[in-house]
Protein backbone atom coordinates (compact mmCIF):
# COMPACT_ATOMS: atom_id res chain seq x y z
CA UNK A 1 0.00 0.00 0.00
CA UNK A 2 2.83 2.41 0.80
CA UNK A 3 4.48 1.73 -2.55
CA UNK A 4 1.19 2.44 -4.31
CA UNK A 5 0.72 5.75 -2.50
CA UNK A 6 4.29 6.84 -3.27
CA UNK A 7 3.89 5.90 -6.94
CA UNK A 8 0.59 7.79 -7.19
CA UNK A 9 2.12 10.89 -5.58
CA UNK A 10 5.00 10.76 -8.01
CA UNK A 11 2.65 10.49 -11.00
CA UNK A 12 0.49 13.32 -9.68
CA UNK A 13 3.47 15.62 -9.36
CA UNK A 14 4.66 14.68 -12.83
CA UNK A 15 1.43 14.86 -14.84
CA UNK A 16 -1.18 16.89 -12.95
CA UNK A 17 -1.48 20.56 -13.79
CA UNK A 18 -2.51 23.13 -11.18
CA UNK A 19 -5.80 24.97 -11.56
CA UNK A 20 -5.55 28.58 -12.75
CA UNK A 21 -5.56 30.87 -9.71
CA UNK A 22 -8.92 32.38 -10.67
CA UNK A 23 -10.56 28.93 -10.48
CA UNK A 24 -9.18 28.01 -7.09
CA UNK A 25 -11.80 28.29 -4.30
CA UNK A 26 -11.06 31.11 -1.92
CA UNK A 27 -11.64 30.45 1.77
CA UNK A 28 -11.76 33.24 4.30
CA UNK A 29 -10.06 32.44 7.59
CA UNK A 30 -12.19 32.33 10.75
CA UNK A 31 -10.06 35.13 12.18
CA UNK A 32 -10.78 37.41 9.22
CA UNK A 33 -14.50 36.55 9.26
CA UNK A 34 -14.78 37.56 12.89
CA UNK A 35 -13.40 41.02 12.09
CA UNK A 36 -16.35 41.97 9.90
CA UNK A 37 -18.13 41.21 6.64
CA UNK A 38 -16.67 38.24 4.67
CA UNK A 39 -14.67 39.19 1.61
CA UNK A 40 -16.73 39.32 -1.57
CA UNK A 41 -16.06 36.39 -3.89
CA UNK A 42 -15.22 33.95 -1.09
CA UNK A 43 -17.28 30.95 -0.06
CA UNK A 44 -17.84 32.55 3.32
CA UNK A 45 -19.68 35.41 1.60
CA UNK A 46 -22.02 33.10 -0.37
CA UNK A 47 -25.70 33.34 0.44
CA UNK A 48 -28.41 31.24 -1.26
CA UNK A 49 -31.17 33.09 -3.11
CA UNK A 50 -34.44 33.64 -1.30
CA UNK A 51 -37.25 31.17 -1.91
CA UNK A 52 -39.75 33.90 -1.11
CA UNK A 53 -40.82 35.37 -4.43
CA UNK A 54 -42.49 38.69 -5.16
CA UNK A 55 -45.71 36.74 -5.77
CA UNK A 56 -45.46 35.30 -2.24
CA UNK A 57 -45.03 38.74 -0.70
CA UNK A 58 -47.91 40.19 -2.75
CA UNK A 59 -50.25 37.23 -2.22
CA UNK A 60 -50.46 36.62 -5.98
CA UNK A 61 -51.94 33.15 -6.63
CA UNK A 62 -52.20 33.55 -10.41
CA UNK A 63 -48.63 32.46 -11.11
CA UNK A 64 -46.65 29.27 -10.59
CA UNK A 65 -43.67 31.34 -9.38
CA UNK A 66 -44.71 31.03 -5.74
CA UNK A 67 -44.34 28.62 -2.82
CA UNK A 68 -41.03 27.35 -4.23
CA UNK A 69 -40.39 25.16 -1.19
CA UNK A 70 -43.34 22.90 -1.92
CA UNK A 71 -45.75 21.75 -4.61
CA UNK A 72 -48.67 23.85 -5.78
CA UNK A 73 -51.93 22.70 -7.34
CA UNK A 74 -54.24 24.32 -9.89
CA UNK A 75 -57.79 24.87 -8.65
CA UNK A 76 -60.56 26.55 -10.64
CA UNK A 77 -63.87 28.23 -9.85
CA UNK A 78 -66.90 27.21 -11.87
CA UNK A 79 -69.75 29.47 -12.95
CA UNK A 80 -71.67 28.26 -9.88
CA UNK A 81 -68.97 29.70 -7.62
CA UNK A 82 -67.70 26.29 -6.45
CA UNK A 83 -63.95 25.69 -6.39
CA UNK A 84 -62.51 22.36 -7.54
CA UNK A 85 -59.69 20.83 -9.51
CA UNK A 86 -60.22 21.03 -13.31
CA UNK A 87 -62.85 18.38 -14.14
CA UNK A 88 -64.60 16.99 -17.18
CA UNK A 89 -67.52 14.64 -17.63
CA UNK A 90 -66.55 11.13 -18.69
CA UNK A 91 -66.74 10.21 -22.35
CA UNK A 92 -66.94 6.44 -22.19
CA UNK A 93 -65.80 6.05 -25.79
CA UNK A 94 -62.28 7.38 -25.11
CA UNK A 95 -61.76 6.56 -21.42
CA UNK A 96 -60.80 8.45 -18.28
CA UNK A 97 -57.19 9.35 -19.04
CA UNK A 98 -57.85 10.57 -22.59
CA UNK A 99 -60.77 12.71 -21.41
CA UNK A 100 -58.48 14.45 -18.97
CA UNK A 101 -55.68 14.93 -21.48
CA UNK A 102 -58.09 16.79 -23.76
CA UNK A 103 -59.49 18.85 -20.88
CA UNK A 104 -56.07 19.84 -19.53
CA UNK A 105 -55.00 20.90 -23.01
CA UNK A 106 -58.09 23.11 -23.30
CA UNK A 107 -57.73 24.50 -19.78
CA UNK A 108 -54.11 25.66 -19.79
CA UNK A 109 -53.12 25.46 -23.48
CA UNK A 110 -49.45 25.17 -24.37
CA UNK A 111 -47.57 22.13 -25.60
CA UNK A 112 -48.95 18.75 -24.52
CA UNK A 113 -45.33 17.68 -23.94
CA UNK A 114 -45.25 20.15 -21.03
CA UNK A 115 -47.56 17.79 -19.14
CA UNK A 116 -46.26 14.72 -17.31
CA UNK A 117 -48.95 12.23 -16.34
CA UNK A 118 -48.14 10.20 -13.25
CA UNK A 119 -49.56 6.79 -14.15
CA UNK A 120 -52.47 5.74 -16.33
CA UNK A 121 -55.02 5.34 -13.56
CA UNK A 122 -56.58 7.54 -10.86
CA UNK A 123 -54.87 7.89 -7.49
CA UNK A 124 -58.11 8.68 -5.62
CA UNK A 125 -61.85 9.07 -6.04
CA UNK A 126 -64.57 11.03 -4.27
CA UNK A 127 -68.25 10.03 -4.00
CA UNK A 128 -71.01 12.63 -3.84
CA UNK A 129 -74.80 12.77 -3.80
CA UNK A 130 -76.71 14.17 -6.77
CA UNK A 131 -79.19 16.99 -6.43
CA UNK A 132 -82.86 16.04 -6.80
CA UNK A 133 -82.82 17.20 -10.43
CA UNK A 134 -79.69 15.15 -11.18
CA UNK A 135 -81.14 12.07 -9.50
CA UNK A 136 -84.14 12.29 -11.80
CA UNK A 137 -82.05 13.01 -14.90
CA UNK A 138 -79.44 10.28 -14.34
CA UNK A 139 -81.71 7.84 -12.47
CA UNK A 140 -78.96 7.42 -9.90
CA UNK A 141 -78.32 8.46 -6.30
CA UNK A 142 -74.91 10.01 -6.86
CA UNK A 143 -71.66 9.96 -8.76
CA UNK A 144 -67.89 9.66 -8.43
CA UNK A 145 -65.04 11.98 -9.28
CA UNK A 146 -61.79 10.22 -10.19
CA UNK A 147 -58.55 12.15 -9.61
CA UNK A 148 -55.46 11.82 -11.78
CA UNK A 149 -52.03 13.34 -11.15
CA UNK A 150 -50.57 15.53 -13.88
CA UNK A 151 -47.47 17.68 -13.41
CA UNK A 152 -46.69 20.80 -15.43
CA UNK A 153 -43.02 20.68 -16.43
CA UNK A 154 -42.98 23.45 -19.03
CA UNK A 155 -41.23 25.98 -16.82
CA UNK A 156 -43.37 29.03 -17.55
CA UNK A 157 -44.56 31.13 -14.63
CA UNK A 158 -47.92 32.18 -16.08
CA UNK A 159 -50.24 29.88 -18.02
CA UNK A 160 -53.21 30.92 -20.15
CA UNK A 161 -56.04 29.44 -18.10
CA UNK A 162 -59.27 29.15 -20.10
CA UNK A 163 -61.68 31.55 -18.39
CA UNK A 164 -64.54 30.80 -20.81
CA UNK A 165 -65.33 27.68 -18.78
CA UNK A 166 -64.00 28.81 -15.39
CA UNK A 167 -64.58 32.17 -13.74
CA UNK A 168 -61.38 32.17 -11.68
CA UNK A 169 -58.31 30.09 -10.86
CA UNK A 170 -55.50 29.85 -8.30
CA UNK A 171 -52.23 27.98 -7.77
CA UNK A 172 -52.31 26.81 -4.15
CA UNK A 173 -50.09 24.79 -1.87
CA UNK A 174 -51.38 21.73 -0.03
CA UNK A 175 -51.90 23.81 3.12
CA UNK A 176 -53.92 26.43 1.19
CA UNK A 177 -56.34 24.03 -0.51
CA UNK A 178 -58.88 23.98 2.37
CA UNK A 179 -59.41 27.73 1.88
CA UNK A 180 -61.03 27.05 -1.51
CA UNK A 181 -62.09 23.40 -1.74
CA UNK A 182 -65.05 21.89 0.11
CA UNK A 183 -64.39 20.09 3.37
CA UNK A 184 -65.49 16.67 2.06
CA UNK A 185 -63.11 16.90 -0.92
CA UNK A 186 -60.26 17.97 1.37
CA UNK A 187 -61.02 15.11 3.73
CA UNK A 188 -60.54 12.71 0.83
CA UNK A 189 -57.53 14.27 -0.90
CA UNK A 190 -55.38 16.17 1.61
CA UNK A 191 -54.03 13.02 3.35
CA UNK A 192 -53.03 11.59 -0.05
CA UNK A 193 -51.33 14.62 -1.62
CA UNK A 194 -47.52 14.76 -1.25
CA UNK A 195 -46.14 16.90 1.55
CA UNK A 196 -42.42 16.39 0.99
CA UNK A 197 -41.21 19.87 1.86
CA UNK A 198 -41.90 22.28 4.67
CA UNK A 199 -44.30 24.91 3.40
CA UNK A 200 -43.20 27.71 5.74
CA UNK A 201 -40.18 29.62 4.44
CA UNK A 202 -38.81 32.16 6.87
CA UNK A 203 -37.51 35.53 5.82
CA UNK A 204 -33.85 35.19 4.91
CA UNK A 205 -33.10 38.67 3.63
CA UNK A 206 -32.50 37.44 0.09
CA UNK A 207 -33.74 39.31 -2.96
CA UNK A 208 -37.19 38.00 -4.07
CA UNK A 209 -37.86 37.44 -7.77
Amino acid sequence: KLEYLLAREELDQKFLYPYPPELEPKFESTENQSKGKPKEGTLAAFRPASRLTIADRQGNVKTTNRKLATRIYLVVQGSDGVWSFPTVELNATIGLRKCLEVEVQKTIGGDKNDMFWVGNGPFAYHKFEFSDAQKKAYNAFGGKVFYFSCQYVGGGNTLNIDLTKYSDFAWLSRAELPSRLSSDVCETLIPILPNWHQETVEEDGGVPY
Side-chain angles (χ1 to χ4, degrees):
K1 184 176 180 180
L2 178 60
E3 293 178 352
Y4 164 75
L5 294 175
L6 292 174
R8 190 177 69 175
E9 183 179 358
E10 182 181 350
L11 291 173
D12 287 347
Q13 293 177 355
K14 184 176 181 180
F15 295 106
L16 287 183
Y17 293 94
Y19 280 106
E22 60 270 18
L23 297 182
E24 287 286 350
K26 301 175 183 178
F27 296 92
E28 192 79 357
S29 67
T30 305
E31 181 182 355
N32 290 337
Q33 291 180 34
S34 63
K35 294 180 179 178
K37 186 177 178 180
K39 184 179 179 181
E40 185 177 354
T42 64
L43 292 179
F46 172 77
R47 293 192 64 193
S50 173
R51 291 189 295 181
L52 285 172
T53 68
I54 293 176
D56 287 322
R57 298 177 192 273
Q58 296 177 345
N60 180 9
V61 297
K62 306 295 186 185
T63 174
T64 57
N65 190 37
R66 65 183 304 268
K67 296 291 181 181
L68 301 184
T70 187
R71 292 190 178 198
I72 54 176
Y73 302 88
L74 174 64
V75 294
V76 291
Q77 185 180 39
S79 57
D80 56 358
V82 176
W83 285 87
S84 67
F85 293 104
T87 57
V88 64
E89 190 170 344
L90 173 64
N91 182 343
T93 61
I94 62 176
L96 285 169
R97 164 74 182 269
K98 188 62 179 179
C99 281
L100 288 172
E101 288 180 1
V102 174
E103 177 64 15
V104 168
Q105 193 69 25
K106 289 180 180 179
T107 301
I108 68 174
D111 190 336
K112 65 180 182 180
N113 293 324
D114 291 342
M115 309 301 158
F116 174 71
W117 291 87
V118 184
N120 292 315
F123 68 90
Y125 74 91
H126 169 69
K127 296 187 293 184
F128 64 97
E129 182 180 351
F130 283 148
S131 64
D132 292 339
Q134 290 174 321
K135 289 178 181 178
K136 186 176 181 180
Y138 292 106
N139 192 28
F141 177 78
K144 293 180 181 178
V145 178
F146 293 90
Y147 293 93
F148 284 69
S149 179
C150 178
Q151 299 178 5
Y152 173 67
V153 294
N157 293 333
T158 304
L159 299 172
N160 297 319
I161 307 299
D162 180 14
L163 293 181
T164 61
K165 179 177 180 180
Y166 304 109
S167 59
D168 200 2
F169 71 95
W171 291 95
L172 304 179
S173 68
R174 180 178 183 267
E176 294 172 324
L177 290 176
S179 66
R180 307 289 177 108
L181 301 180
S182 64
S183 59
D184 53 343
V185 172
C186 289
E187 184 178 348
T188 301
L189 292 181
I190 294 297
I192 303 174
L193 296 178
N195 188 28
W196 297 339
H197 305 288
Q198 184 179 358
E199 295 191 15
T200 302
V201 181
E202 298 183 3
E203 289 282 352
D204 53 15
V207 178
Y209 58 95

